[in-house]
Amino acid sequence: MEKITQVLCSAMSSGRLTKIILAGKRRKSLEYKKITLRPVTIKGELMYQAEYHYDKKVTHENIPYYEGIDFAQRIIAEDFKQINILTENEDIQILASKPEKPKIIRHTASRSAANTEHNRKKHYLIEDGTPCDFLIELGVMSPEGKVFKKHYSKFRQINRFLEIADDSFEALPQTGTIRIIDFGCGKSYLTFALYYYLKIVRDRSVEIVGLDLKEDVIEFCSRTAEKLGYNELKFMTGDIADYESNGADMVVTLHACDTATDYALINAVKWNSRVILSVPCCQHELFSQIKNEVNEPMLKHGIIKDKFTELLTNGLRGLKLEAAGYDVNMIEFTSLEHTSKNIMIKAVLPQKTNADAMKKASVQYEALKEFYHVNPTIDQLR
């Protein structure tokens, strides 16, 4: 381990470190598959940020600068046997199946030193300072392109949504018209954003329908779309549960209340939609159904029962979508400081489904239903 320690000390104290990638698990039971370690400056203090990569999530841990070398040594000794150290001067690969006899390989540097500023300016798909027609029309931005302070959280939410849409872009049809339905569109900030991104930024042909129960909202959105010349963006008054369509490549449902989310998901699967982006809201359905002796000491508290049934509802929805062949991720949409409803279900239909994974998800779904004695609306999805 002495040789590895020498390399770590040299790279991590040089001020030219970009990042360290730790991979090649020493044991199959290890939950995360790799760790990325990079220098960051947080509130003026130099630290190391460890990024843990799991199959379906990424978590972070900030480590004091003076503990960085000890952390890396421990991870190498206990968890990983392949280390890639990227610096401004060189790239170093360490193969450490036997830490006491590592193989060290050096190459020409592939990248420059990292910017350690953790709080550096965020790059957005829509930039503050650049006029954007729909944001100006909706009162988020001034005609000069300056985002109004009181609407900055909405501006960040719009850009976060577009990041997710951009990440899903390759799953959508690469030719022809992209058909999208936004269930429960509300004032449609994100519906307009999606049109702007696909039609204006990506230069794709689109047909987008926004659906909501509130007639005054639909009238406002229709007038705004007409004023902006967003001719392929239409708004309709209607109920998600009863909506009929020839299908959609993408289904969006953001803060659709309670079982409205389920009906949107059921429709999306029926149409074989390639991408589903759903932020559920007001999951009340299972609150009166759930019964479980094991969890009763916890569920006797109303506030805990409410939060727990919300998580159970979304977990069952995710499993049902997996059983239908989708790749499902639960991701953060907006930070908790803006709304407590911050879980997005992102489901993408792969080109080739995995029958074993579908069967496994179906079995897990039924087991959860039985364990908690619930019958959610999403069960109608067959």
Side-chain angles (χ1 to χ4, degrees), residues 286 290 308-317 368 372 374:
L286 302 189
I290 188 169
F308 185 82
T309 53
E310 176 184 323
L311 295 173
L312 178 62
T313 302
N314 287 335
L316 287 168
R317 286 165 171 162
L368 270 180
Y372 288 107
V374 294

Side-chain angles (χ1 to χ4, degrees), residues 94-111:
I94 302 176
L95 304 177
S97 294
K98 298 180 179 180
E100 67 278 7
K101 293 183 179 180
K103 182 176 181 181
I104 300 173
I105 306 167
R106 299 176 184 268
H107 300 283
T108 303
S110 60
R111 64 195 72 197

